[in-house]
PDB file of all heavy atoms in Angstrom:
ATOM      1  N   MET A  58     -66.364  31.527-152.991  1.00 93.00           N
ATOM      2  CA  MET A  58     -66.734  32.920-153.188  1.00 93.00           C
ATOM      3  C   MET A  58     -65.834  33.759-152.286  1.00 93.00           C
ATOM      4  O   MET A  58     -65.146  33.229-151.408  1.00 93.00           O
ATOM      5  CB  MET A  58     -68.208  33.133-152.827  1.00 93.00           C
ATOM      6  CG  MET A  58     -69.186  32.269-153.591  1.00 93.00           C
ATOM      7  SD  MET A  58     -69.409  32.801-155.296  1.00 93.00           S
ATOM      8  CE  MET A  58     -70.511  34.185-155.058  1.00 93.00           C
ATOM      9  N   PRO A  59     -65.814  35.092-152.463  1.00 89.00           N
ATOM     10  CA  PRO A  59     -64.947  35.908-151.597  1.00 89.00           C
ATOM     11  C   PRO A  59     -65.256  35.752-150.107  1.00 89.00           C
ATOM     12  O   PRO A  59     -64.356  35.872-149.273  1.00 89.00           O
ATOM     13  CB  PRO A  59     -65.242  37.335-152.073  1.00 89.00           C
ATOM     14  CG  PRO A  59     -65.666  37.184-153.498  1.00 89.00           C
ATOM     15  CD  PRO A  59     -66.436  35.899-153.537  1.00 89.00           C
ATOM     16  N   ASP A  60     -66.528  35.437-149.762  1.00 88.00           N
ATOM     17  CA  ASP A  60     -66.916  35.369-148.357  1.00 88.00           C
ATOM     18  C   ASP A  60     -67.259  33.960-147.900  1.00 88.00           C
ATOM     19  O   ASP A  60     -68.030  33.771-146.966  1.00 88.00           O
ATOM     20  CB  ASP A  60     -68.118  36.284-148.103  1.00 88.00           C
ATOM     21  CG  ASP A  60     -69.305  35.946-149.007  1.00 88.00           C
ATOM     22  OD1 ASP A  60     -69.126  35.126-149.940  1.00 88.00           O
ATOM     23  OD2 ASP A  60     -70.397  36.487-148.785  1.00 88.00           O
ATOM     24  N   GLY A  61     -66.698  32.950-148.548  1.00 94.00           N
ATOM     25  CA  GLY A  61     -66.987  31.574-148.180  1.00 94.00           C
ATOM     26  C   GLY A  61     -67.251  30.739-149.413  1.00 94.00           C
ATOM     27  O   GLY A  61     -66.419  30.700-150.322  1.00 94.00           O
ATOM     28  N   VAL A  62     -68.401  30.075-149.454  1.00 96.00           N
ATOM     29  CA  VAL A  62     -68.774  29.315-150.641  1.00 96.00           C
ATOM     30  C   VAL A  62     -70.231  29.591-150.994  1.00 96.00           C
ATOM     31  O   VAL A  62     -71.036  29.983-150.139  1.00 96.00           O
ATOM     32  CB  VAL A  62     -68.598  27.784-150.442  1.00 96.00           C
ATOM     33  CG1 VAL A  62     -67.146  27.419-150.202  1.00 96.00           C
ATOM     34  CG2 VAL A  62     -69.499  27.261-149.331  1.00 96.00           C
ATOM     35  N   MET A  63     -70.538  29.391-152.262  1.00 96.00           N
ATOM     36  CA  MET A  63     -71.924  29.324-152.721  1.00 96.00           C
ATOM     37  C   MET A  63     -72.302  27.854-152.744  1.00 96.00           C
ATOM     38  O   MET A  63     -71.580  27.026-153.318  1.00 96.00           O
ATOM     39  CB  MET A  63     -72.065  29.917-154.119  1.00 96.00           C
ATOM     40  CG  MET A  63     -73.451  29.718-154.741  1.00 96.00           C
ATOM     41  SD  MET A  63     -73.455  30.045-156.534  1.00 96.00           S
ATOM     42  CE  MET A  63     -73.120  31.818-156.567  1.00 96.00           C
ATOM     43  N   ALA A  64     -73.428  27.505-152.119  1.00 97.00           N
ATOM     44  CA  ALA A  64     -73.918  26.133-152.138  1.00 97.00           C
ATOM     45  C   ALA A  64     -75.157  26.058-153.007  1.00 97.00           C
ATOM     46  O   ALA A  64     -76.038  26.919-152.927  1.00 97.00           O
ATOM     47  CB  ALA A  64     -74.251  25.663-150.726  1.00 97.00           C
ATOM     48  N   MET A  65     -75.215  25.036-153.854  1.00 97.00           N
ATOM     49  CA  MET A  65     -76.411  24.750-154.643  1.00 97.00           C
ATOM     50  C   MET A  65     -76.589  23.242-154.651  1.00 97.00           C
ATOM     51  O   MET A  65     -75.611  22.500-154.629  1.00 97.00           O
ATOM     52  CB  MET A  65     -76.277  25.275-156.075  1.00 97.00           C
ATOM     53  CG  MET A  65     -76.252  26.778-156.189  1.00 97.00           C
ATOM     54  SD  MET A  65     -76.015  27.332-157.901  1.00 97.00           S
ATOM     55  CE  MET A  65     -77.464  26.637-158.690  1.00 97.00           C
ATOM     56  N   GLY A  66     -77.840  22.792-154.675  1.00 97.00           N
ATOM     57  CA  GLY A  66     -78.049  21.357-154.691  1.00 97.00           C
ATOM     58  C   GLY A  66     -79.466  20.958-154.985  1.00 97.00           C
ATOM     59  O   GLY A  66     -80.376  21.791-155.080  1.00 97.00           O
ATOM     60  N   ASP A  67     -79.645  19.654-155.130  1.00 98.00           N
ATOM     61  CA  ASP A  67     -80.918  19.051-155.494  1.00 98.00           C
ATOM     62  C   ASP A  67     -81.005  17.730-154.732  1.00 98.00           C
ATOM     63  O   ASP A  67     -80.268  16.785-155.044  1.00 98.00           O
ATOM     64  CB  ASP A  67     -80.939  18.820-157.010  1.00 98.00           C
ATOM     65  CG  ASP A  67     -82.243  18.231-157.511  1.00 98.00           C
ATOM     66  OD1 ASP A  67     -83.196  18.113-156.729  1.00 98.00           O
ATOM     67  OD2 ASP A  67     -82.296  17.881-158.715  1.00 98.00           O
ATOM     68  N   LEU A  68     -81.865  17.668-153.720  1.00 98.00           N
ATOM     69  CA  LEU A  68     -81.967  16.495-152.860  1.00 98.00           C
ATOM     70  C   LEU A  68     -83.189  15.679-153.258  1.00 98.00           C
ATOM     71  O   LEU A  68     -84.287  16.223-153.423  1.00 98.00           O
ATOM     72  CB  LEU A  68     -82.070  16.918-151.396  1.00 98.00           C
ATOM     73  CG  LEU A  68     -80.994  17.912-150.918  1.00 98.00           C
ATOM     74  CD1 LEU A  68     -81.211  18.253-149.447  1.00 98.00           C
ATOM     75  CD2 LEU A  68     -79.590  17.365-151.159  1.00 98.00           C
ATOM     76  N   VAL A  69     -83.018  14.379-153.411  1.00 98.00           N
ATOM     77  CA  VAL A  69     -84.101  13.489-153.824  1.00 98.00           C
ATOM     78  C   VAL A  69     -84.752  12.905-152.571  1.00 98.00           C
ATOM     79  O   VAL A  69     -84.080  12.254-151.759  1.00 98.00           O
ATOM     80  CB  VAL A  69     -83.569  12.359-154.721  1.00 98.00           C
ATOM     81  CG1 VAL A  69     -84.708  11.467-155.191  1.00 98.00           C
ATOM     82  CG2 VAL A  69     -82.805  12.925-155.908  1.00 98.00           C
ATOM     83  N   LEU A  70     -86.060  13.125-152.424  1.00 98.00           N
ATOM     84  CA  LEU A  70     -86.745  12.772-151.189  1.00 98.00           C
ATOM     85  C   LEU A  70     -88.085  12.096-151.467  1.00 98.00           C
ATOM     86  O   LEU A  70     -88.725  12.343-152.488  1.00 98.00           O
ATOM     87  CB  LEU A  70     -87.015  14.026-150.349  1.00 98.00           C
ATOM     88  CG  LEU A  70     -85.785  14.865-149.960  1.00 98.00           C
ATOM     89  CD1 LEU A  70     -86.234  16.163-149.307  1.00 98.00           C
ATOM     90  CD2 LEU A  70     -84.858  14.087-149.041  1.00 98.00           C
ATOM     91  N   LEU A  71     -88.504  11.273-150.508  1.00 98.00           N
ATOM     92  CA  LEU A  71     -89.875  10.792-150.484  1.00 98.00           C
ATOM     93  C   LEU A  71     -90.765  11.876-149.903  1.00 98.00           C
ATOM     94  O   LEU A  71     -90.289  12.778-149.197  1.00 98.00           O
ATOM     95  CB  LEU A  71     -89.971   9.520-149.649  1.00 98.00           C
ATOM     96  CG  LEU A  71     -89.197   8.305-150.168  1.00 98.00           C
ATOM     97  CD1 LEU A  71     -89.323   7.143-149.184  1.00 98.00           C
ATOM     98  CD2 LEU A  71     -89.676   7.883-151.555  1.00 98.00           C
ATOM     99  N   GLU A  72     -92.053  11.772-150.158  1.00 98.00           N
ATOM    100  CA  GLU A  72     -92.988  12.797-149.690  1.00 98.00           C
ATOM    101  C   GLU A  72     -92.892  13.016-148.187  1.00 98.00           C
ATOM    102  O   GLU A  72     -92.905  14.157-147.704  1.00 98.00           O
ATOM    103  CB  GLU A  72     -94.408  12.388-150.074  1.00 98.00           C
ATOM    104  CG  GLU A  72     -95.473  13.421-149.744  1.00 98.00           C
ATOM    105  CD  GLU A  72     -96.846  13.026-150.259  1.00 98.00           C
ATOM    106  OE1 GLU A  72     -96.965  11.953-150.881  1.00 98.00           O
ATOM    107  OE2 GLU A  72     -97.800  13.800-150.046  1.00 98.00           O
ATOM    108  N   SER A  73     -92.767  11.933-147.417  1.00 98.00           N
ATOM    109  CA  SER A  73     -92.722  12.030-145.960  1.00 98.00           C
ATOM    110  C   SER A  73     -91.445  12.679-145.448  1.00 98.00           C
ATOM    111  O   SER A  73     -91.381  13.096-144.287  1.00 98.00           O
ATOM    112  CB  SER A  73     -92.865  10.641-145.336  1.00 98.00           C
ATOM    113  OG  SER A  73     -91.799   9.788-145.765  1.00 98.00           O
ATOM    114  N   GLU A  74     -90.427  12.777-146.294  1.00 98.00           N
ATOM    115  CA  GLU A  74     -89.137  13.320-145.868  1.00 98.00           C
ATOM    116  C   GLU A  74     -89.006  14.820-146.126  1.00 98.00           C
ATOM    117  O   GLU A  74     -88.093  15.460-145.592  1.00 98.00           O
ATOM    118  CB  GLU A  74     -88.001  12.586-146.604  1.00 98.00           C
ATOM    119  CG  GLU A  74     -87.913  11.094-146.297  1.00 98.00           C
ATOM    120  CD  GLU A  74     -86.951  10.357-147.209  1.00 98.00           C
ATOM    121  OE1 GLU A  74     -86.696  10.826-148.349  1.00 98.00           O
ATOM    122  OE2 GLU A  74     -86.463   9.288-146.798  1.00 98.00           O
ATOM    123  N   ILE A  75     -89.887  15.381-146.943  1.00 98.00           N
ATOM    124  CA  ILE A  75     -89.691  16.754-147.410  1.00 98.00           C
ATOM    125  C   ILE A  75     -89.633  17.752-146.260  1.00 98.00           C
ATOM    126  O   ILE A  75     -88.657  18.507-146.133  1.00 98.00           O
ATOM    127  CB  ILE A  75     -90.811  17.153-148.402  1.00 98.00           C
ATOM    128  CG1 ILE A  75     -90.715  16.321-149.684  1.00 98.00           C
ATOM    129  CG2 ILE A  75     -90.711  18.646-148.735  1.00 98.00           C
ATOM    130  CD1 ILE A  75     -91.900  16.492-150.623  1.00 98.00           C
ATOM    131  N   ASN A  76     -90.649  17.803-145.425  1.00 98.00           N
ATOM    132  CA  ASN A  76     -90.676  18.845-144.398  1.00 98.00           C
ATOM    133  C   ASN A  76     -89.678  18.641-143.272  1.00 98.00           C
ATOM    134  O   ASN A  76     -89.093  19.622-142.795  1.00 98.00           O
ATOM    135  CB  ASN A  76     -92.102  19.041-143.887  1.00 98.00           C
ATOM    136  CG  ASN A  76     -92.898  19.929-144.829  1.00 98.00           C
ATOM    137  OD1 ASN A  76     -92.661  21.131-144.915  1.00 98.00           O
ATOM    138  ND2 ASN A  76     -93.805  19.333-145.583  1.00 98.00           N
ATOM    139  N   PRO A  77     -89.404  17.406-142.806  1.00 98.00           N
ATOM    140  CA  PRO A  77     -88.309  17.250-141.843  1.00 98.00           C
ATOM    141  C   PRO A  77     -86.962  17.730-142.381  1.00 98.00           C
ATOM    142  O   PRO A  77     -86.205  18.413-141.678  1.00 98.00           O
ATOM    143  CB  PRO A  77     -88.306  15.751-141.563  1.00 98.00           C
ATOM    144  CG  PRO A  77     -89.712  15.320-141.805  1.00 98.00           C
ATOM    145  CD  PRO A  77     -90.170  16.158-142.967  1.00 98.00           C
ATOM    146  N   VAL A  78     -86.655  17.393-143.636  1.00 98.00           N
ATOM    147  CA  VAL A  78     -85.394  17.847-144.238  1.00 98.00           C
ATOM    148  C   VAL A  78     -85.397  19.359-144.389  1.00 98.00           C
ATOM    149  O   VAL A  78     -84.396  20.037-144.082  1.00 98.00           O
ATOM    150  CB  VAL A  78     -85.166  17.146-145.592  1.00 98.00           C
ATOM    151  CG1 VAL A  78     -83.998  17.799-146.346  1.00 98.00           C
ATOM    152  CG2 VAL A  78     -84.895  15.660-145.382  1.00 98.00           C
ATOM    153  N   MET A  79     -86.506  19.912-144.840  1.00 98.00           N
ATOM    154  CA  MET A  79     -86.613  21.351-145.016  1.00 98.00           C
ATOM    155  C   MET A  79     -86.366  22.096-143.702  1.00 98.00           C
ATOM    156  O   MET A  79     -85.630  23.100-143.663  1.00 98.00           O
ATOM    157  CB  MET A  79     -87.989  21.702-145.569  1.00 98.00           C
ATOM    158  CG  MET A  79     -88.182  23.161-145.942  1.00 98.00           C
ATOM    159  SD  MET A  79     -89.868  23.511-146.514  1.00 98.00           S
ATOM    160  CE  MET A  79     -89.981  22.470-147.961  1.00 98.00           C
ATOM    161  N   SER A  80     -86.949  21.622-142.622  1.00 98.00           N
ATOM    162  CA  SER A  80     -86.773  22.286-141.325  1.00 98.00           C
ATOM    163  C   SER A  80     -85.318  22.288-140.896  1.00 98.00           C
ATOM    164  O   SER A  80     -84.808  23.298-140.383  1.00 98.00           O
ATOM    165  CB  SER A  80     -87.635  21.599-140.258  1.00 98.00           C
ATOM    166  OG  SER A  80     -89.006  21.778-140.534  1.00 98.00           O
ATOM    167  N   LYS A  81     -84.626  21.171-141.120  1.00 98.00           N
ATOM    168  CA  LYS A  81     -83.211  21.099-140.761  1.00 98.00           C
ATOM    169  C   LYS A  81     -82.365  22.034-141.622  1.00 98.00           C
ATOM    170  O   LYS A  81     -81.409  22.658-141.148  1.00 98.00           O
ATOM    171  CB  LYS A  81     -82.716  19.662-140.891  1.00 98.00           C
ATOM    172  CG  LYS A  81     -83.082  18.766-139.728  1.00 98.00           C
ATOM    173  CD  LYS A  81     -82.303  19.166-138.474  1.00 98.00           C
ATOM    174  CE  LYS A  81     -82.541  18.221-137.330  1.00 98.00           C
ATOM    175  NZ  LYS A  81     -81.787  18.618-136.109  1.00 98.00           N
ATOM    176  N   LEU A  82     -82.698  22.134-142.901  1.00 98.00           N
ATOM    177  CA  LEU A  82     -81.960  23.048-143.775  1.00 98.00           C
ATOM    178  C   LEU A  82     -82.119  24.487-143.299  1.00 98.00           C
ATOM    179  O   LEU A  82     -81.139  25.254-143.246  1.00 98.00           O
ATOM    180  CB  LEU A  82     -82.463  22.913-145.215  1.00 98.00           C
ATOM    181  CG  LEU A  82     -82.131  21.607-145.943  1.00 98.00           C
ATOM    182  CD1 LEU A  82     -82.905  21.513-147.243  1.00 98.00           C
ATOM    183  CD2 LEU A  82     -80.627  21.483-146.204  1.00 98.00           C
ATOM    184  N   ILE A  83     -83.333  24.860-142.957  1.00 97.00           N
ATOM    185  CA  ILE A  83     -83.589  26.228-142.482  1.00 97.00           C
ATOM    186  C   ILE A  83     -82.824  26.484-141.187  1.00 97.00           C
ATOM    187  O   ILE A  83     -82.208  27.546-141.015  1.00 97.00           O
ATOM    188  CB  ILE A  83     -85.104  26.442-142.294  1.00 97.00           C
ATOM    189  CG1 ILE A  83     -85.812  26.401-143.655  1.00 97.00           C
ATOM    190  CG2 ILE A  83     -85.385  27.777-141.613  1.00 97.00           C
ATOM    191  CD1 ILE A  83     -87.317  26.307-143.565  1.00 97.00           C
ATOM    192  N   GLU A  84     -82.835  25.513-140.277  1.00 97.00           N
ATOM    193  CA  GLU A  84     -82.066  25.644-139.022  1.00 97.00           C
ATOM    194  C   GLU A  84     -80.596  25.897-139.304  1.00 97.00           C
ATOM    195  O   GLU A  84     -79.930  26.636-138.577  1.00 97.00           O
ATOM    196  CB  GLU A  84     -82.187  24.367-138.192  1.00 97.00           C
ATOM    197  CG  GLU A  84     -83.465  24.197-137.414  1.00 97.00           C
ATOM    198  CD  GLU A  84     -83.456  22.900-136.634  1.00 97.00           C
ATOM    199  OE1 GLU A  84     -82.351  22.405-136.305  1.00 97.00           O
ATOM    200  OE2 GLU A  84     -84.548  22.359-136.359  1.00 97.00           O
ATOM    201  N   GLY A  85     -80.081  25.261-140.349  1.00 97.00           N
ATOM    202  CA  GLY A  85     -78.663  25.367-140.683  1.00 97.00           C
ATOM    203  C   GLY A  85     -78.309  26.568-141.535  1.00 97.00           C
ATOM    204  O   GLY A  85     -77.158  26.700-141.963  1.00 97.00           O
ATOM    205  N   GLY A  86     -79.284  27.440-141.818  1.00 96.00           N
ATOM    206  CA  GLY A  86     -78.999  28.661-142.565  1.00 96.00           C
ATOM    207  C   GLY A  86     -79.035  28.517-144.067  1.00 96.00           C
ATOM    208  O   GLY A  86     -78.582  29.427-144.777  1.00 96.00           O
TER     209      GLY A  86
END
């Protein structure tokens, strides 16, 4: 994109992994 990149994705997770992964994604912007 003009200001970097657009990121889109679909991560496959077990139930126990959802919120730990989510928290890290939020930390990373």
Side-chain angles (χ1 to χ4, degrees):
M58 303 286 282
D60 56 351
V62 297
M63 172 195 293
M65 292 177 61
D67 182 7
L68 309 180
V69 182
L70 302 172
L71 296 177
E72 185 175 359
S73 60
E74 297 170 335
I75 294 171
N76 279 289
V78 169
M79 186 183 298
S80 294
K81 281 290 185 180
L82 290 169
I83 293 168
E84 281 180 26

